[in-house]
Amino acid sequence: MSESVVLHDRRDGYAVLTLNRPHRLNAFTEELHLTLAGALDACAADDDCGAVILTGAGRGFCAGQDLADRDPTLLGASPDLGLTLETYYNPLVIRLRNFAKPVICAVNGVAAGAGANIALACDIVFAARSAVFIQSFSRIGLIPDAGGTWWLTQRLGEARAKALALTGDPLPAGQAADWGLIWKAVDDDRLMEEAEALAARLAAGPSRAYALTRQAIHAASRNTLEEQLALERTLQREAGRSDDYKEGVAAFLEKRTANYRRKKRE
Ligand code: T3D
């Protein structure tokens, strides 16, 4: 039996999902989309899974759409790319953005096209220092998708967004971190160690507070300050009613480490 196109490794408290088409730099096919969606759903439904790491097998993270499935000499009529975005890429971006648990991306190598932008849809992005992010769309006559025009403009501003998108030039991981596009560039041999240490830490933390924090930060770019303050009030009210908050305050006052996971399992 052939290996799955997404490897799903369950660790203590978190899961590692590995895109597994290394011969094509983990480019997306329909099968990869469907398998990844299923794996993410399984993580969402797993109460003991507090965080997810997304990474790639082999020397690349993901090279975007598998262009072998777009070969014009085989397809005849032009494919409706709007339909494939609507069916696969856009739901994946929204699934990652609204995921119930923090998603860490460990970009192990080149991230190109939609592969770069799927990485940017994750909550916290680590990249191996040797990795590059490429908005390669313009090289094949397309526009950045999977949220590319949004992530780049929001995080880098128009000047850098336009230069990256129009040139399709690679952005090295270190520069992506210096510019604030991602969280951190780390030495290649420490990538998974760093990502897993953070996943384990988040998995042991106050999960409801994390979900509410992500919700508030996502809303910030569209809200006025007044609207954001009102949202913080609403979400903090909810956080303040949680067992995690009681445990956090009790642990502080008792000068001990808070134990959120134990409380959830009791
Ligand atoms: O279509 C829709 O549904 C709309 C949605 C579109 C979303 C998109 O992502 S569009 C953008 C698609 N992606 C690209 O245009 C990137 C294409 N790949 C590259 O430009 C380069 O491969 C990289 C810059 C990513 C890496 O370059 P390099 O030199 O490190 O590796 P390579 O030799 O080019 O690739 C290694 C192998 O992977 C090679 O196969 P081979 O020759 O060893 O048998 C190459 O053909 C294959 N590969 C890489 N990317 C893709 C791919 N095969 C199919 N599709 C790919 N995207």
Side-chain angles (χ1 to χ4, degrees), residues 107 109-111 120 127-135 139 152 156 160 164 167-182:
V107 179
V110 63
L120 299 179
R129 225 172 279 287
S130 67
V132 289
F133 293 82
I134 313 180
Q135 297 294 324
R139 296 183 186 179
L152 295 178
L156 304 180
R160 285 170 173 165
L164 289 170
T167 63
D169 284 349
L171 179 69
Q175 197 163 12
D178 290 347
W179 283 2
L181 185 65
I182 64 167

Short mmCIF file of all heavy atoms in Angstrom, two decimals, residues 107 109-111 120 127-135 139 152 156 160 164 167-182:
data_model
loop_
_atom_site.label_atom_id
_atom_site.label_comp_id
_atom_site.label_asym_id
_atom_site.label_seq_id
_atom_site.Cartn_x
_atom_site.Cartn_y
_atom_site.Cartn_z
N VAL A 107 8.27 25.52 8.27
CA VAL A 107 8.60 25.58 6.85
C VAL A 107 10.02 25.04 6.66
O VAL A 107 11.00 25.72 6.95
CB VAL A 107 8.46 27.04 6.32
CG1 VAL A 107 8.82 27.11 4.85
CG2 VAL A 107 7.05 27.55 6.56
N GLY A 109 11.58 24.01 3.91
CA GLY A 109 12.30 24.28 2.67
C GLY A 109 11.46 25.22 1.83
O GLY A 109 10.57 25.90 2.37
N VAL A 110 11.69 25.22 0.53
CA VAL A 110 10.99 26.19 -0.32
C VAL A 110 9.47 26.13 -0.14
O VAL A 110 8.87 25.05 -0.06
CB VAL A 110 11.40 26.00 -1.80
CG1 VAL A 110 11.00 24.64 -2.33
CG2 VAL A 110 10.81 27.09 -2.68
N ALA A 111 8.88 27.33 -0.04
CA ALA A 111 7.41 27.46 0.03
C ALA A 111 7.03 28.39 -1.11
O ALA A 111 7.37 29.58 -1.08
CB ALA A 111 6.99 28.06 1.38
N LEU A 120 1.55 30.98 5.50
CA LEU A 120 1.26 32.27 6.15
C LEU A 120 -0.11 32.30 6.81
O LEU A 120 -0.39 33.15 7.64
CB LEU A 120 1.39 33.41 5.13
CG LEU A 120 2.79 33.56 4.51
CD1 LEU A 120 2.80 34.70 3.50
CD2 LEU A 120 3.86 33.79 5.57
N ALA A 127 10.60 29.02 10.18
CA ALA A 127 11.15 28.54 8.91
C ALA A 127 12.61 28.19 9.09
O ALA A 127 13.34 28.87 9.82
CB ALA A 127 10.99 29.60 7.83
N ALA A 128 13.02 27.11 8.43
CA ALA A 128 14.44 26.76 8.40
C ALA A 128 15.17 27.91 7.70
O ALA A 128 14.65 28.48 6.72
CB ALA A 128 14.63 25.47 7.63
N ARG A 129 16.36 28.24 8.21
CA ARG A 129 17.10 29.38 7.65
C ARG A 129 17.34 29.21 6.14
O ARG A 129 17.42 30.18 5.40
CB ARG A 129 18.43 29.54 8.39
CG ARG A 129 18.72 30.97 8.74
CD ARG A 129 19.93 31.11 9.64
NE ARG A 129 19.64 30.84 11.05
CZ ARG A 129 18.97 31.64 11.85
NH1 ARG A 129 18.46 32.77 11.39
NH2 ARG A 129 18.76 31.32 13.12
N SER A 130 17.40 27.98 5.67
CA SER A 130 17.66 27.75 4.24
C SER A 130 16.39 27.88 3.39
O SER A 130 16.45 27.84 2.16
CB SER A 130 18.25 26.36 4.03
OG SER A 130 17.25 25.39 4.36
N ALA A 131 15.23 28.01 4.04
CA ALA A 131 13.96 28.06 3.29
C ALA A 131 13.78 29.41 2.62
O ALA A 131 14.33 30.42 3.06
CB ALA A 131 12.78 27.78 4.23
N VAL A 132 13.00 29.41 1.55
CA VAL A 132 12.63 30.68 0.90
C VAL A 132 11.13 30.68 0.65
O VAL A 132 10.51 29.62 0.49
CB VAL A 132 13.37 30.90 -0.45
CG1 VAL A 132 14.84 31.19 -0.24
CG2 VAL A 132 13.17 29.72 -1.40
N PHE A 133 10.56 31.88 0.63
CA PHE A 133 9.14 32.08 0.32
C PHE A 133 9.08 32.73 -1.07
O PHE A 133 9.71 33.77 -1.29
CB PHE A 133 8.50 32.99 1.36
CG PHE A 133 8.43 32.37 2.73
CD1 PHE A 133 9.54 32.39 3.58
CD2 PHE A 133 7.28 31.73 3.17
CE1 PHE A 133 9.50 31.80 4.84
CE2 PHE A 133 7.23 31.14 4.43
CZ PHE A 133 8.33 31.17 5.26
N ILE A 134 8.33 32.10 -1.96
CA ILE A 134 8.28 32.63 -3.34
C ILE A 134 6.82 32.82 -3.77
O ILE A 134 6.05 31.85 -3.80
CB ILE A 134 8.96 31.68 -4.36
CG1 ILE A 134 10.33 31.21 -3.84
CG2 ILE A 134 9.12 32.38 -5.70
CD1 ILE A 134 11.06 30.26 -4.80
N GLN A 135 6.49 34.06 -4.10
CA GLN A 135 5.17 34.33 -4.70
C GLN A 135 5.35 34.05 -6.20
O GLN A 135 5.43 34.98 -7.02
CB GLN A 135 4.74 35.77 -4.42
CG GLN A 135 4.54 36.07 -2.94
CD GLN A 135 3.37 35.30 -2.33
OE1 GLN A 135 2.35 35.08 -2.98
NE2 GLN A 135 3.51 34.89 -1.07
N ARG A 139 5.27 34.20 -12.35
CA ARG A 139 6.12 33.47 -13.31
C ARG A 139 5.29 32.63 -14.27
O ARG A 139 5.76 32.24 -15.33
CB ARG A 139 7.07 32.54 -12.56
CG ARG A 139 8.07 33.24 -11.66
CD ARG A 139 8.98 32.18 -11.06
NE ARG A 139 9.89 32.71 -10.07
CZ ARG A 139 10.76 31.96 -9.39
NH1 ARG A 139 10.82 30.66 -9.61
NH2 ARG A 139 11.56 32.50 -8.51
N LEU A 152 0.47 39.48 2.54
CA LEU A 152 1.62 40.33 2.22
C LEU A 152 1.32 41.79 2.52
O LEU A 152 2.14 42.49 3.11
CB LEU A 152 2.00 40.19 0.74
CG LEU A 152 2.50 38.82 0.27
CD1 LEU A 152 2.78 38.83 -1.22
CD2 LEU A 152 3.74 38.39 1.03
N LEU A 156 3.37 43.33 5.44
CA LEU A 156 4.57 43.98 4.91
C LEU A 156 4.31 45.35 4.34
O LEU A 156 5.25 46.11 4.11
CB LEU A 156 5.20 43.12 3.79
CG LEU A 156 5.55 41.67 4.16
CD1 LEU A 156 6.15 40.97 2.94
CD2 LEU A 156 6.52 41.64 5.33
N ARG A 160 6.45 46.35 -0.31
CA ARG A 160 7.08 45.03 -0.32
C ARG A 160 6.14 43.98 -0.93
O ARG A 160 6.58 43.06 -1.62
CB ARG A 160 7.50 44.64 1.10
CG ARG A 160 8.73 45.41 1.54
CD ARG A 160 9.04 45.23 3.01
NE ARG A 160 10.33 45.85 3.31
CZ ARG A 160 10.75 46.13 4.54
NH1 ARG A 160 9.99 45.86 5.58
NH2 ARG A 160 11.94 46.68 4.73
N LEU A 164 7.34 41.72 -4.12
CA LEU A 164 7.41 40.25 -4.02
C LEU A 164 6.48 39.59 -5.03
O LEU A 164 6.82 38.60 -5.67
CB LEU A 164 7.05 39.79 -2.61
CG LEU A 164 8.09 40.10 -1.52
CD1 LEU A 164 7.51 39.81 -0.14
CD2 LEU A 164 9.37 39.30 -1.73
N THR A 167 7.62 40.44 -8.91
CA THR A 167 8.89 39.83 -9.35
C THR A 167 8.88 38.31 -9.22
O THR A 167 9.56 37.62 -9.97
CB THR A 167 10.09 40.34 -8.52
OG1 THR A 167 9.90 39.95 -7.15
CG2 THR A 167 10.25 41.85 -8.62
N GLY A 168 8.18 37.79 -8.21
CA GLY A 168 8.27 36.35 -7.93
C GLY A 168 9.64 35.97 -7.40
O GLY A 168 10.04 34.80 -7.45
N ASP A 169 10.38 36.94 -6.88
CA ASP A 169 11.72 36.65 -6.35
C ASP A 169 11.62 35.96 -5.00
O ASP A 169 10.71 36.24 -4.21
CB ASP A 169 12.53 37.96 -6.17
CG ASP A 169 13.03 38.51 -7.50
OD1 ASP A 169 12.94 37.79 -8.51
OD2 ASP A 169 13.49 39.67 -7.52
N PRO A 170 12.56 35.07 -4.70
CA PRO A 170 12.53 34.37 -3.40
C PRO A 170 12.86 35.31 -2.25
O PRO A 170 13.75 36.15 -2.36
CB PRO A 170 13.62 33.30 -3.54
CG PRO A 170 14.37 33.59 -4.78
CD PRO A 170 13.64 34.61 -5.59
N LEU A 171 12.12 35.16 -1.17
CA LEU A 171 12.39 35.92 0.06
C LEU A 171 12.99 34.93 1.06
O LEU A 171 12.31 34.00 1.50
CB LEU A 171 11.07 36.51 0.60
CG LEU A 171 11.18 37.30 1.90
CD1 LEU A 171 11.93 38.61 1.67
CD2 LEU A 171 9.79 37.60 2.46
N PRO A 172 14.26 35.11 1.42
CA PRO A 172 14.88 34.18 2.37
C PRO A 172 14.20 34.23 3.73
O PRO A 172 13.70 35.28 4.15
CB PRO A 172 16.33 34.68 2.47
CG PRO A 172 16.54 35.57 1.28
CD PRO A 172 15.19 36.15 0.95
N ALA A 173 14.20 33.08 4.42
CA ALA A 173 13.50 32.97 5.70
C ALA A 173 13.94 34.05 6.70
O ALA A 173 13.09 34.63 7.39
CB ALA A 173 13.75 31.59 6.30
N GLY A 174 15.24 34.33 6.75
CA GLY A 174 15.74 35.33 7.71
C GLY A 174 15.13 36.69 7.45
O GLY A 174 14.73 37.40 8.39
N GLN A 175 15.05 37.05 6.15
CA GLN A 175 14.47 38.36 5.82
C GLN A 175 12.96 38.36 6.08
O GLN A 175 12.40 39.37 6.54
CB GLN A 175 14.75 38.68 4.36
CG GLN A 175 14.55 40.14 4.04
CD GLN A 175 15.21 40.54 2.74
OE1 GLN A 175 15.64 39.69 1.95
NE2 GLN A 175 15.30 41.83 2.50
N ALA A 176 12.31 37.23 5.82
CA ALA A 176 10.86 37.14 6.10
C ALA A 176 10.62 37.38 7.59
O ALA A 176 9.65 38.05 7.97
CB ALA A 176 10.34 35.77 5.68
N ALA A 177 11.50 36.86 8.43
CA ALA A 177 11.34 37.08 9.88
C ALA A 177 11.66 38.52 10.23
O ALA A 177 10.93 39.17 10.99
CB ALA A 177 12.25 36.12 10.64
N ASP A 178 12.75 39.07 9.66
CA ASP A 178 13.11 40.47 9.96
C ASP A 178 11.99 41.43 9.54
O ASP A 178 11.76 42.45 10.18
CB ASP A 178 14.40 40.87 9.22
CG ASP A 178 15.62 40.16 9.78
OD1 ASP A 178 15.52 39.57 10.88
OD2 ASP A 178 16.67 40.17 9.12
N TRP A 179 11.29 41.10 8.46
CA TRP A 179 10.21 41.96 7.97
C TRP A 179 8.88 41.73 8.69
O TRP A 179 7.90 42.43 8.44
CB TRP A 179 9.99 41.72 6.48
CG TRP A 179 11.02 42.35 5.59
CD1 TRP A 179 12.12 43.07 5.97
CD2 TRP A 179 11.04 42.33 4.16
NE1 TRP A 179 12.83 43.48 4.87
CE2 TRP A 179 12.19 43.04 3.74
CE3 TRP A 179 10.22 41.76 3.20
CZ2 TRP A 179 12.52 43.21 2.40
CZ3 TRP A 179 10.54 41.93 1.86
CH2 TRP A 179 11.68 42.65 1.47
N GLY A 180 8.81 40.71 9.52
CA GLY A 180 7.56 40.46 10.24
C GLY A 180 6.55 39.63 9.47
O GLY A 180 5.37 39.57 9.84
N LEU A 181 7.00 38.96 8.41
CA LEU A 181 6.08 38.10 7.66
C LEU A 181 5.86 36.79 8.41
O LEU A 181 4.78 36.20 8.34
CB LEU A 181 6.65 37.82 6.26
CG LEU A 181 5.75 37.04 5.31
CD1 LEU A 181 4.49 37.83 4.97
CD2 LEU A 181 6.50 36.68 4.02
N ILE A 182 6.89 36.33 9.11
CA ILE A 182 6.80 35.09 9.87
C ILE A 182 7.36 35.34 11.27
O ILE A 182 7.96 36.39 11.54
CB ILE A 182 7.59 33.93 9.20
CG1 ILE A 182 9.10 34.25 9.17
CG2 ILE A 182 7.05 33.66 7.80
CD1 ILE A 182 9.97 33.06 8.81
#
